[in-house]
Amino acid sequence: MTSSEALTQLADPAQGWRQAVLAGLVGHSAEPLNCETPPPLLGGAVTPAGRFFRRNHFPIPDLDAAAWRLEVNGLVRRPVTLSLDELKSAGCESVTAVLECAGNGRTRFSPPAAGEPWGLGAVGNARWTGVPLADVLDKAGLLPGAREVIFRGADSGTVEGSAETIAFERSLDLSRALGSGALLAFAMNDEPLPVRHGFPVRLVVPGQYAVASVKWLTGITVTGQRFGGFFQASHYVYEWQRGGAVVREPVGAIAVRALITAPAAGDELTRGRLRVSGVAWSGAAPVHRVEVSLNGGRWRAADLAGERASRGWQQWELQAQTGAGAQLAIRVRATDRLGRTQPGQPEWNRRGYGGNFIHEVTVRLR
Ligand SMILES: Nc1nc2c(c(=O)[nH]1)N[C@H]1C(S)=C(S)[C@@H](COP(=O)(O)O)O[C@H]1N2
Ligand SMILES: [Mo]
């Protein structure tokens, strides 16, 4: 047991659940805490921490900031153990970035895919502030043979198929660790990171599915091998059925997606002028185009609103007319600068990752 593990308290699951439900989140489980944000609560430039989805595999550790240490070791010239003040003194940067669970949209797959039953709200956008991971690795000095960087969280528990207690661990290959703008973040929307989002320090890897963004970070190990941990090699791997074979591929860049945040499904609107708005993002490149279709009609371009986003989501809106029917079905799809558009039908995979289904909202007209 390391010193930081010995000092771990656990957050109260009943309280975590209550807070989430009061904030309007949809709860899937209290322990571990798994909750998502209904799309109408996702409008806006950033997602307030209170409304941000929560995704956990194990009980939430409530770490003592004064006792917290980050160990950086493995294939480095100068292994170090950093206190929070020492880490913060390494200089800080901020980035607004989307975190999206790789399983977001999973319940739309048919036949059903295995895993947490996420609708479309396991996503949020926040301004993260912290120390660039590349600077910390640079200070430690990578040794020849370094290939991957393993990140360890203070949370642990058992997973299916084994009685052994394991920590939450993930790795990044060196190019992503150094080149993706990853931060060791200690602030979310300019406030200290809440306990449930990784206090005191989490990794944030912009553009990658959020499983990469390890919370309650206590260890960084540089290795010459390929990391084969449970959350790296067993789960969070696409299992595509292609040509009679199963093709495995670890989840990586966040797939392009748009959500309608207003109006909400089931709203009753007055016929005539219509304003549709929402958010859109892609991990591979900034959003280039957002298109809306009304009642299955032609795709028309929405206006990109607010600031042009690079790693965060892009707000968008469309002004139109409702038409005369009793109902209106509104669909939206996004395209990024690499030309990736949301597909009509995302490719099925056993665990239902990357389900960037087109969002459709139906409203009533009067
Ligand atoms: N230590 C730790 N980090 C973790 C996880 C976890 O269970 N433990 N879950 C990951 C997954 S799958 C997701 S989607 C995001 C969720 O981050 P959030 O709860 O801050 O929204 O955290 C990632 N980092
Ligand atoms: Mo996730």
Side-chain angles (χ1 to χ4, degrees):
M1 202 182 250
T2 68
S3 55
S4 51
E5 275 164 341
L7 291 156
T8 296
Q9 311 259 322
L10 294 177
D12 176 9
Q15 194 192 1
W17 177 265
R18 219 164 29 239
Q19 280 174 347
V21 172
L22 283 173
L25 272 60
V26 175
H28 296 299
S29 72
E31 184 77 323
L33 183 62
N34 286 315
C35 306
E36 66 179 290
T37 318
L41 294 184
L42 288 173
V46 294
T47 314
R51 287 186 189 169
F52 207 93
F53 81 104
R54 295 87 150 112
R55 196 328 177 206
N56 299 290
H57 296 79
F58 301 134
I60 294 177
D62 188 357
L63 303 181
D64 175 354
W68 177 88
R69 294 290 181 276
L70 176 65
E71 288 187 29
V72 184
N73 55 30
L75 286 180
V76 293
R77 252 175 254 286
R78 293 168 293 273
V80 280
T81 303
L82 300 170
S83 68
L84 193 52
D85 285 343
E86 286 165 340
L87 177 71
K88 285 181 176 174
S89 72
C92 81
E93 277 181 15
S94 294
V95 64
T96 298
V98 169
L99 289 191
E100 181 177 23
C101 184
N104 198 27
R106 174 181 287 135
T107 49
R108 303 283 206 274
F109 279 109
S110 168
E116 209 59 23
W118 299 116
L120 295 174
V123 62
N125 190 43
R127 178 175 145 92
W128 308 98
T129 301
V131 181
L133 170 65
D135 290 358
V136 172
L137 292 176
D138 192 48
K139 272 201 184 134
L142 297 175
L143 286 174
R147 172 171 182 177
E148 290 196 4
V149 185
I150 304 170
F151 302 87
R152 191 165 47 259
D155 52 333
S156 62
T158 56
V159 292
E160 60 179 45
S162 166
E164 197 197 338
T165 295
I166 60 168
F168 186 88
E169 289 179 309
R170 284 277 307 180
S171 74
L172 290 175
D173 58 34
L174 224 46
S175 64
R176 276 202 189 117
L178 298 173
S180 61
L183 288 185
L184 305 180
F186 46 77
M188 176 179 189
N189 297 335
D190 302 312
E191 306 271 358
L193 209 54
V195 169
R196 62 175 178 271
H197 293 296
F199 180 86
V201 174
R202 84 178 297 167
L203 180 65
V204 170
V205 190
Q208 295 285 300
Y209 276 120
V211 66
S213 294
V214 176
K215 302 191 275 189
W216 312 291
L217 187 68
T218 55
I220 298 179
T221 301
V222 179
T223 164
Q225 261 100 57
R226 227 157 139 178
F227 177 62
F230 178 84
F231 298 103
Q232 191 76 33
S234 174
H235 279 220
Y236 297 96
V237 175
Y238 295 108
E239 294 176 35
W240 313 110
Q241 310 270 315
R242 289 179 185 161
V246 176
V247 176
R248 291 168 56 86
E249 183 193 341
V251 304
I254 299 176
V256 62
R257 190 200 293 275
L259 290 178
I260 297 163
T261 58
D267 276 359
E268 192 175 67
L269 306 183
T270 308
R271 284 192 193 88
R273 283 171 64 147
L274 170 74
R275 178 176 181 270
V276 186
S277 60
V279 293
W281 63 92
S282 166
V287 168
H288 176 59
R289 188 166 72 233
V290 175
E291 297 161 291
V292 175
S293 159
L294 302 177
N295 282 337
R298 70 180 171 87
W299 289 105
R300 50 177 107 179
D303 293 320
L304 302 187
E307 282 174 38
R308 284 300 159 277
S310 64
R311 319 313 303 270
W313 66 31
Q314 178 66 53
Q315 296 177 269
W316 58 266
E317 64 174 51
L318 176 82
Q319 312 274 355
Q321 294 290 322
T322 60
Q327 282 202 337
L328 180 65
I330 309 167
R331 305 178 84 216
V332 64
R333 70 174 185 196
T335 302
D336 71 16
R337 279 201 211 148
L338 290 171
R340 299 174 196 219
T341 300
Q342 284 176 258
Q345 181 62 51
E347 185 178 355
W348 190 91
N349 60 100
R350 188 165 72 90
R351 295 196 188 275
Y353 297 127
N356 59 342
F357 293 86
I358 287 174
H359 189 202
E360 176 169 330
V361 160
T362 301
V363 296
R364 291 174 295 147
L365 300 177
R366 62 159 180 242

